[in-house]
Amino acid sequence: MRAFIKEKQLVTAQDTQNALKDLFAETLQEMLEAEMDTYLGYEKHGAKNKQTTNSRNGKSRKTHQRTASRRSPFLQDREGAFEPLVVKKHQSNVTALKIFRIF
């Protein structure tokens, strides 16, 4: 924790709060990426192992209440069928986020 504080140069409570919001947003993004990998059956940039006609189709931005106006990408697939489990489509409040194993 001390290394994290030093690395991020946290001095005030606001600095700490902002760093934790960023960390939460990054963690949430990684979880969504892992969900998409599982859904499509291959990792990002691993199309040589692709066994589906569906693929990633970019990102749109989504603001979450938990991250206090932080906007994180919402992943999309070409077929429009991807339904994330961690943060549902049209969900903006992630304060009661349930973390579970998606693999």
Side-chain angles (χ1 to χ4, degrees):
M1 185 55 81
R2 289 177 192 206
F4 179 78
I5 292 169
K6 186 176 181 178
E7 176 187 331
K8 300 293 182 182
Q9 300 175 351
L10 306 179
V11 178
T12 67
Q14 187 63 48
D15 293 342
T16 303
Q17 187 174 10
N18 290 339
L20 291 174
K21 287 178 188 175
D22 290 342
L23 183 61
F24 180 80
E26 290 169 18
T27 302
L28 190 58
Q29 176 62 30
E30 287 298 318
M31 292 171 69
L32 289 169
E33 293 281 353
E35 272 194 273
M36 181 63 83
D37 291 349
T38 301
Y39 175 74
L40 293 175
Y42 68 94
E43 292 183 12
K44 189 174 185 177
H45 307 297
K48 64 182 175 186
N49 299 324
K50 184 176 170 179
Q51 297 179 2
T52 178
T53 58
N54 199 0
S55 61
R56 289 166 173 77
N57 193 33
K59 303 172 184 177
S60 62
R61 291 288 181 187
K62 186 178 210 175
T63 302
H64 302 289
Q65 289 179 8
R66 172 71 182 235
T67 55
S69 77
R70 296 278 198 258
R71 295 174 58 91
S72 61
F74 175 76
L75 304 176
Q76 301 167 336
D77 65 315
R78 293 229 180 236
E79 295 175 358
F82 176 60
E83 294 285 341
L85 300 173
V86 174
V87 180
K88 306 280 187 212
K89 289 182 179 178
H90 311 293
Q91 178 182 349
S92 61
N93 187 337
V94 292
T95 55
L97 186 66
K98 294 180 181 175
I99 309 299
F100 53 92
R101 187 174 172 95
I102 61 173
F103 303 100

